[in-house]
């Protein structure tokens, strides 16, 4: 069941996603990942939106979870750019989880794909054996970020190019659920 609904507010049509639908999407994502003949050694959660999805994927793929966190800002020509807050650096204890290993990168949403391209390029510098990217939702739009050809990309499902509100972003979960279960 798709528990999403479009709400018109201040000219932005939002899609409110319930935890129940997140659980279904996680299971779908897992089933798609399972079809790839690769044993995953480690999950990299992209923060902060990918933290909870990564924890939920860990219920199916029991491997260590590391994190890389980014933030977004607008440059002079109002283009959205990515900058990192925390990365896994080369020659550190954490980098041993990446070098020569099969990595599953998890994020909640692929919008312009800029973040996924940024993070996977940083991870490739650490010489993993294989990178699989798994996202819950892939916005149906043209992407400006381009993934390296060595990266395998999977999404649980495509969604409309409208603002999505996730249950972990809200303070009032009852109100959120009402909007998402209409
Ligand atoms: P991208 O780099 O693919 O353009 O966007 C990456 C991040 O921007 C997403 O992981 C998410 O954190 C944030 N983002 C983009 N669109 C939305 C949206 O519709 N809803 C929410 N909650 N976050 C979004």
């Amino acid at each position: 069941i798709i528990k999403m609904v479009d709400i018109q507010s201040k000219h932005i049509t939002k899609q409110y996603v319930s935890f129940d639908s997140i659980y279904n999407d996680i299971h779908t994502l897992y089933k798609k990942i399972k079809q790839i003949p690769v044993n995953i050694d480690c999950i990299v959660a992209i923060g902060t939106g990918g933290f909870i999805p990564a924890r939920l994927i860990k219920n199916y793929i029991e491997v260590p979870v590391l994190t890389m966190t980014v933030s977004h800002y607008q440059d002079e020509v109002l283009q959205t750019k990515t900058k990192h807050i925390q990365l896994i650096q080369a020659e550190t204890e954490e980098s041993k989880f990446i070098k020569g290993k099969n990595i599953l990168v998890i994020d909640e949403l692929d919008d312009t794909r800029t973040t996924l391209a940024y993070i996977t390029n940083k991870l490739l510098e650490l010489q993993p054996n294989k990178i699989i990217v798994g996202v819950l939702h892939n916005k149906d739009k043209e992407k400006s970020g381009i993934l390296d050809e060595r990266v395998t990309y999977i999404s649980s499902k495509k969604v409309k190019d409208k603002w999505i509100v996730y249950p972990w972003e809200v303070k009032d979960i009852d109100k959120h659920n009402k909007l998402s279960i209409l």
Side-chain angles (χ1 to χ4, degrees):
I1 313 152
I2 299 167
K3 287 181 176 170
M4 273 194 186
V5 70
D6 294 349
I7 298 291
Q8 198 71 40
S9 88
K10 290 185 183 162
H11 312 294
I12 302 171
T13 307
K14 294 182 181 178
Q15 310 176 80
Y16 295 81
V17 185
S18 69
F19 264 121
D20 283 3
S21 82
I22 298 282
Y23 269 79
N24 288 333
D25 295 342
I26 287 285
H27 193 211
T28 304
L29 187 63
Y30 169 65
K31 284 188 276 185
K32 289 183 181 178
I33 293 166
K34 208 170 58 170
Q35 284 167 15
I36 304 170
V38 166
N39 281 326
I40 291 161
D41 297 304
C42 173
I43 294 169
V44 173
I46 305 182
T48 56
F51 287 172
I52 293 172
R55 178 59 188 84
L56 296 177
I57 277 287
K58 191 175 185 283
N59 294 335
Y60 298 98
I61 305 168
E62 291 184 48
V63 294
V65 178
L66 279 73
T67 63
M68 304 249 262
T69 299
V70 294
S71 70
H72 305 277
Y73 67 96
Q74 303 249 301
D75 70 7
E76 311 81 57
V77 285
L78 285 176
Q79 272 195 308
T80 303
K81 293 271 173 68
T82 303
K83 80 171 179 197
H84 59 257
I85 291 174
Q86 184 208 357
L87 286 182
I88 299 163
Q89 306 285 354
E91 311 298 333
T92 58
E93 279 299 307
E94 295 78 30
S95 71
K96 291 180 193 158
F97 286 92
I98 310 294
K99 194 168 181 177
K101 308 284 185 175
N102 300 322
I103 311 302
L104 173 64
V105 175
I106 294 287
D107 210 348
E108 90 282 36
L109 181 63
D110 169 11
D111 181 27
T112 64
R113 204 163 284 171
T114 313
T115 306
L116 293 174
Y118 183 88
I119 290 289
T120 50
N121 285 337
K122 291 289 180 192
L123 282 170
L124 284 168
E125 290 173 17
L126 304 176
Q127 301 171 303
N129 180 56
K130 176 83 199 146
I131 296 182
I132 299 164
V133 165
V135 293
L136 283 181
H137 301 134
N138 174 21
K139 278 199 197 170
D140 198 1
K141 66 197 281 184
E142 213 173 297
K143 306 292 179 179
S144 47
I146 296 160
L147 297 180
D148 188 282
E149 60 193 14
R150 289 167 285 178
V151 175
T152 302
Y153 174 92
I154 295 171
S155 80
S156 175
K157 72 178 175 209
K158 267 195 178 171
V159 293
K160 281 185 250 170
D161 184 15
K162 289 175 184 159
W163 189 260
I164 300 177
V165 183
Y166 287 98
W168 49 79
E169 298 170 348
V170 306
K171 293 197 183 74
D172 188 339
I173 194 68
D174 292 335
K175 189 174 156 197
H176 180 85
N177 284 342
K178 277 182 195 127
L179 292 167
S180 64
I181 299 170
L182 276 178

